[in-house]
Structure formats: structure tokens, C-alpha cells
Amino acid sequence: EKKTSLMSGGLGPVASGTLNRNLAERCVRVLAATSVRSVACAWGGRVRVETDSSDPLTVGILVLCMGSRSCLDFARASGLAGDGGIKVDSRLRTRFERVFACGDAACSSGGAVGSAREAAAQGRIAGTNLCAQLTGRTSDIREYKPGPKSVSLKCGSFELHLAGQPFDPGCVERVINNADPGTCRILVEK
């Protein structure tokens, strides 16, 4: 993980800390603030990993995960994209009437998309709106209304459920109803 804690870009500090502690209890070592330099096969089916922050490691299981970031070079060159992505309105329209954007590339007043489910929903609306625009049925153009933010993760017998957007201004994470030691539920309240 390049950041200081696992999934800190998508989870708030309470949820991220809970996930990190739970993995540590299961003897899973998370290398935070670390980049992988090389991975190679080692003796006995193990894997040798070299990072920028520790001596080489030989492990039985290696999980490599990477985030995604849209390549916006073309959009920037055409004047569509700023630092946060391609600016869209509530109908997923860019500043050009017949150009729509959605998913990881799009950025509205509510920020960028946080999940594949939300990106797919935006894709359906953007496609519908583009067809309506191209066929002259502009009255059929619909607004995109994002659903509630949620994340569910399962690690062995441990489950983490987060509802709400932890990075919205004034929001606070609150742990709720954790009678089952294997499940952690966190609600983000404003």
C-alpha cells in the first residue's frame, strides 16, 4: 500500500484502522507507505518480494492490488478535464453539448465516482442521455442521482460494512451494532 494505511483513500480512519487491526490479528502483514520494486519466484513455490522500504521478503502468499486512475491526457488537451477529472453537470454532460462522461473519468460537484456499481449506473444514464441528445429527444435527458455510498469487505470470517461517505465535510464515522465479533458495521453521519 503506497498510503499510510490500507484503503485509506476509500475508507475513513475508523474503518481503515479496523481493517488494518483485523488483518494484523490474522497475521497478515500490510506494508504501508511502500512500493513493490520486484517480484520473483523463489524456492518451494514461494515468492520473493523486494520493496522500497524493507529487506527482501520471501512469502507464501502475495496479494498485489492496485487502484485505478483514468488517463485524461486527451481530455485535458481538448479542454474537457481539470485536475479532478472531466467536469460534468448533473446530467453527466460536459461543457460540450454532445459529449458526456461517466465513471472514473467524470467529476461532478459531488466528486469522483467511488465504485464500479456507481460507474455502471452513470454509464447507463450517460448512454441514455447521449441517445436522447443525438435523436433530438432532449426532454428524455435524465439527471444522475448517486445512490448512498457503501463498502462491504470480507476477510475470512471478518466482515466490514461501511455506509456513507467518510470524506464529506462534517461527517463522522460511528461504529454501530457490533454484537458479532466477526462483523464491524460503521455508519458515517453528518
Side-chain angles (χ1 to χ4, degrees):
E1 173 68 54
K2 282 188 169 188
K3 296 185 179 182
T4 56
S5 66
L6 188 63
M7 294 189 68
S8 60
L11 301 177
V14 173
S16 179
T18 301
L19 178 60
N20 281 283
R21 279 189 306 281
N22 191 274
L23 289 170
E25 288 169 7
R26 287 168 167 65
C27 298
V28 174
R29 183 175 173 195
V30 175
L31 299 176
T34 302
S35 293
V36 173
R37 289 194 177 161
S38 69
V39 176
C41 292
W43 183 82
R46 297 179 63 80
V47 179
R48 181 179 168 86
V49 182
E50 291 187 22
T51 70
D52 61 359
S53 65
S54 69
D55 291 332
L57 306 165
T58 302
V59 297
I61 298 174
L62 173 67
V63 179
L64 290 176
C65 303
M66 55 178 54
S68 67
R69 221 177 321 176
S70 299
C71 179
L72 299 172
D73 296 343
F74 174 76
R76 281 192 191 94
S78 63
L80 284 173
D83 290 336
I86 299 173
K87 305 287 185 211
V88 295
D89 64 13
S90 63
R91 292 168 172 82
L92 303 174
R93 234 183 335 221
T94 68
R95 64 187 188 99
F96 298 112
E97 188 176 271
R98 292 181 167 208
V99 178
F100 294 79
C102 58
D104 294 342
C107 183
S108 66
S109 61
V113 170
S115 72
R117 180 178 54 219
E118 191 175 345
Q122 277 190 352
R124 285 189 293 278
I125 297 289
T128 298
N129 289 352
L130 178 59
C131 287
Q133 183 75 41
L134 292 174
T135 58
R137 294 187 333 260
T138 55
S139 62
D140 290 345
I141 292 178
R142 303 182 321 199
E143 284 194 7
Y144 171 71
K145 297 184 191 303
K149 306 276 185 188
S150 66
V151 175
S152 289
L153 302 168
K154 185 167 175 134
C155 175
S157 61
F158 175 74
E159 296 180 23
L160 174 69
H161 304 281
L162 173 71
Q165 180 57 297
F167 301 109
D168 285 350
C171 287
V172 176
E173 291 175 287
R174 185 170 60 90
V175 177
I176 58 170
N177 189 19
N178 286 335
D180 177 1
T183 302
C184 180
R185 294 176 184 88
I186 299 173
L187 177 65
V188 179
E189 297 178 308
K190 203 163 207 172

